[in-house]
C-alpha cells in the first residue's frame, strides 16, 4: 500500500526489514543498546558484529527512550541503522504515545540531517514492549505523515510489518487516514 504526502511516498509492506533496499533502517532497540531478540536480533545478525562494536564505542551510555542514534549498517544494503528506543507499554498513561512518536520523529530528523532519500521502519514497541498494534499504527502513521507534510522529505518512508496481522492493522489505519 502506497500513498503520497506532499511530494513524498508513505508505503506499507509486509516483510523483513533487514532485506530492504533503502538508505536507512530503524532498529527497535533498548536503552542500553545491548542487543536483544525480535527485530533488534534480526538486524544485528544480518549486519554482523561491527554494528555492536560501533554502538558500544560511539554510544556507551545507550539511548534514552523516544530518541534515536545512528550507526553504519555493516553488511546490510542500507547505509545507516537508526537505533531508537520505543516505550514499554504500561497502559497508556505513562507518556507512551509521545515517546513512540518521538522515536519516529527522531529517526526522520536523522534521515534529513544525513540527506537520505529513504527510510524503513519496523512497528516499534509492538513486540516484547507490548504496545497495542492499532494504537501504535495510529500514532506512528500520524507522526510520519505530519513530518512529511512539514519537511517534505525523506522521499520515501516505508513501514515493514513482519506479520500479516500487523500489516492489516497498519493498512486499516492508513486507509482511514486517506479517506
Ligand atoms: P520492541 O521491543 O520495540 O517491542 P520487538 O523486536 O520485540 O521490539 O518487536 C517490534 C516489532 O518488530 C514486532 O511487531 C515484530 O513482529 C517485528 N519484527 C520482528 N522481526 C522483524 C523483522 N525481521 N523485520 C520487521 N519487523 C520485525
Amino acid at each position: 500500500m502506497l500513498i503520497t504526502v506532499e511530494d513524498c511516498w508513505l508505503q506499507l509492506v509486509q516483510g523483513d526489514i533487514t532485506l530492504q533496499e533503502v538508505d536507512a533502517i530503524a532498529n527497535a532497540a533498548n536503552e542500553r543498546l545491548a542487543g536483544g531478540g525480535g527485530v533488534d536480533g534480526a538486524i544485528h545478525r544480518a549486519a554482523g558484529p561491527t554494528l555492536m562494536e560501533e554502538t558500544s564505542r560511539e554510544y556507551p551510555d545507550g539511548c534514552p527512550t523516544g530518541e534515536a542514534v545512528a550507526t553504519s549498517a555493516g553488511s546490510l544494503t542500507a547505509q545507516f541503522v537508526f537505533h531508537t528506543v520505543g516505550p514499554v507499554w504500561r497502559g497508556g498513561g505513562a507518556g507512551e504515545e509521545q515517546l513512540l512518536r518521538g522515536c519516529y520523529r527522531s529517526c526522520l530528523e536523522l534521515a534529513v540531517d544525513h540527506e537520505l532519500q529513504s527510510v524503513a521502519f519496523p512497528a516499534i514497541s509492538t513486540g516484547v514492549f507490548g504496545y497495542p498494534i492499532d494504537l501504535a499504527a495510529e500514532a506512528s502513521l500520524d507522526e510520519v505523515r505530519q513530518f512529511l507534510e512539514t519537511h517534505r522529505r525523506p522521499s520515501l518512508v516505508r513501514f515493514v510489518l513482519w506479520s500479516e496481522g500487523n500489516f492489516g492493522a497498519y493498512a486499516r489505519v492508513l486507509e482511514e487516514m486517506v479517506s
Side-chain angles (χ1 to χ4, degrees):
M1 187 175 176
L2 187 65
I3 68 159
T4 53
V5 182
E6 300 300 336
D7 293 332
C8 307
W9 299 104
L10 173 49
Q11 185 180 32
L12 305 185
V13 301
Q14 193 187 336
D16 182 347
I17 197 160
T18 65
L19 303 177
Q20 306 302 310
E21 297 191 357
V22 287
D23 296 331
I25 65 171
N27 177 20
N30 55 53
E31 279 194 326
R32 290 180 296 120
L33 303 178
V39 73
D40 184 272
I43 289 172
H44 278 279
R45 270 194 305 280
T50 56
L51 201 62
M52 190 55 78
E53 285 159 24
E54 193 176 336
T55 46
S56 318
R57 187 176 65 243
E58 301 292 328
Y59 307 105
D61 299 328
C63 176
T65 300
E67 298 180 21
V69 296
T71 65
S72 57
S75 330
L76 296 170
T77 50
Q79 280 175 259
F80 294 95
V81 176
F82 298 153
H83 306 265
T84 187
V85 184
V88 175
W89 181 256
R90 301 186 196 282
E96 293 95 327
E97 183 180 342
Q98 285 311 315
L99 291 166
L100 186 65
R101 285 174 177 268
C103 290
Y104 288 94
R105 195 167 57 246
S106 302
C107 290
L108 292 171
E109 284 165 357
L110 286 172
V112 169
D113 290 348
H114 288 88
E115 300 184 346
L116 305 183
Q117 300 294 319
S118 53
V119 184
F121 285 103
I124 297 162
S125 284
T126 65
V128 172
F129 283 3
Y131 207 111
I133 189 71
D134 295 336
L135 298 181
E138 281 171 21
S140 53
L141 287 167
D142 184 62
E143 190 64 30
V144 169
R145 183 182 60 169
Q146 279 186 39
F147 190 95
L148 294 178
E149 281 171 356
T150 309
H151 300 271
R152 300 179 170 222
R153 56 203 160 131
S155 309
L156 171 68
V157 177
R158 179 183 295 160
F159 283 86
V160 182
L161 292 319
W162 182 239
S163 69
E164 202 175 328
N166 286 0
F167 178 82
Y170 269 69
R172 277 191 295 279
V173 171
L174 193 60
E175 269 159 24
E176 266 172 40
M177 210 180 246
V178 293
S179 64

